[in-house]
């Protein structure tokens, strides 16, 4: 069930029906990351470098170059951590478009879900932004613990990604409380699906498409879970 949903979602990302959403999401995400990079770089140059020169007066020119190099590495590392949440916020504006395409093409006999109101969608995207940052900070701290560092990344992100995107797909058809209850009943399945999304997130460049892939995959998973519920 999970791998079928993932396989279909990957194929759909490459289909013409997804092209408009794909281009809008990717373009806005790249622009946001570029703006964030220049913003953080300017902030470091404005705050950190004068402070360093005050702290170490008369330092040689190569020390300033070395400090800038170290700052660039730190910024690049920080940007790598921000890719997932920034992408989530941008793609959150188009998740309903993704879900509607999947529902219309793959489930033509079923009613199309209700789009989440714009304000509620923004709240969910903002909440997800904070949760993912917090989760990755925890995972980063666990990098110092041998044997569980990589596992921590997948466990933290698998849980968070699975939870948020399954509830998104479910809330197109159910009240929020009912969507959460359904997610809890199938917590193991949702977590395993989240691990697949986390694996997608771990691949450079592909991680820019993680929210679109996750939304499409969870629409299929919610349909499968709903069919199982109806048989009960």
């Amino acid at each position: 069930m999970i791998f079928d949903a993932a396989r279909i979602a990957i194929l759909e990302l490459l289909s013409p029906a997804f092209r408009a959403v794909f281009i809008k999401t990717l373009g806005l995400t790249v622009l946001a990351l570029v703006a964030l990079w220049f913003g953080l770089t300017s902030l470091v140059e404005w705050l950190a470098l004068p402070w360093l020169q005050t702290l170490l007066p008369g330092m040689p020119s190569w020390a300033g170059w070395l400090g800038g190099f170290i700052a660039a590495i730190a910024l690049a590392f920080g940007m790598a951590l921000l890719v997932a949440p920034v992408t989530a916020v941008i793609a959150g504006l188009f998740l309903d478009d993704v879900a509607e395409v999947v529902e219309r093409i793959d489930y033509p006999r079923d009613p199309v879900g209700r789009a989440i109101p714009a304000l509620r969608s923004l709240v969910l995207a903002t909440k997800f932004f904070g949760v993912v940052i917090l989760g990755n900070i925890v995972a980063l701290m666990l990098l110092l613990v041998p044997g569980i560092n990589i596992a921590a990344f997948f466990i933290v992100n698998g849980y968070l990604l699975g939870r948020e995107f399954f509830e998104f797909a479910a809330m197109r058809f159910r009240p929020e409380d009912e969507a959460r209850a359904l997610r809890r009943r199938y917590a193991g399945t949702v977590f395993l699906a989240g691990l697949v999304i986390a694996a997608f997130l771990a691949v450079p460049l592909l991680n820019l498409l993680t929210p679109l892939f996750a939304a499409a995959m969870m629409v299929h998973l919610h349909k499968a879970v709903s069919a199982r519920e109806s048989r009960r």
Side-chain angles (χ1 to χ4, degrees):
M1 179 168 61
I2 294 172
F3 292 107
D4 284 341
R7 177 180 56 82
I8 296 171
I10 290 174
L11 292 175
E12 285 175 331
L13 282 180
L14 303 175
S15 69
F18 274 79
R19 193 167 295 152
V21 180
F22 173 87
I23 292 173
K24 286 188 293 187
T25 302
L26 187 60
L28 287 174
T29 299
V30 170
L31 285 176
L33 290 173
V34 169
L36 190 60
W37 169 264
F38 281 109
L40 290 175
T41 302
S42 299
L43 188 63
V44 168
E45 291 177 352
W46 179 52
L47 293 177
L49 293 183
W51 176 83
L52 186 62
Q53 291 171 352
T54 303
L55 183 66
L56 300 173
M59 64 179 182
S61 58
W62 61 264
W65 176 86
L66 181 60
F69 180 72
I70 294 173
I73 293 177
L75 281 172
F77 190 70
M79 288 292 295
L81 291 178
L82 289 173
V83 165
V86 168
T87 305
V89 171
I90 298 297
L93 303 174
F94 306 106
L95 292 184
D96 278 307
D97 295 344
V98 172
E100 185 173 341
V101 169
V102 173
E103 291 161 4
R104 289 190 183 279
I105 292 177
D106 295 322
Y107 307 96
R109 297 182 180 180
D110 296 346
V112 176
R114 303 181 307 274
I116 299 175
L119 182 59
R120 179 58 180 157
S121 179
L122 182 61
V123 169
L124 289 173
T126 304
K127 184 183 81 169
F128 182 58
F129 178 89
V131 169
V132 170
I133 286 182
L134 179 62
N136 280 279
I137 288 174
V138 172
L140 179 62
M141 293 171 63
L142 290 174
L143 285 174
L144 302 175
V145 183
I148 67 169
N149 40 25
I150 297 177
F153 172 86
F154 283 100
I155 291 172
V156 170
N157 284 287
Y159 172 74
L160 295 174
L161 293 166
R163 183 187 73 180
E164 295 298 326
F165 281 100
F166 182 83
E167 289 184 4
F168 156 77
M171 282 192 294
R172 286 178 56 82
F173 296 90
R174 307 166 186 268
E176 188 171 346
D177 291 343
E178 187 178 331
R180 288 177 177 171
L182 183 66
R183 190 259 304 169
R184 293 189 188 101
R185 280 200 299 277
Y186 291 89
T189 300
V190 172
F191 175 66
L192 290 176
L195 289 179
V196 174
I197 299 171
F200 200 90
L201 178 66
V203 180
L205 298 182
L206 277 184
N207 55 12
L208 296 176
L209 303 177
T210 299
L212 302 185
F213 165 73
M217 177 182 174
M218 286 306 190
V219 168
H220 291 296
L221 187 63
H222 174 254
K223 288 288 186 179
V225 166
S226 297
R228 183 176 295 181
E229 286 284 297
S230 65
R231 288 195 296 270
R232 286 185 173 182

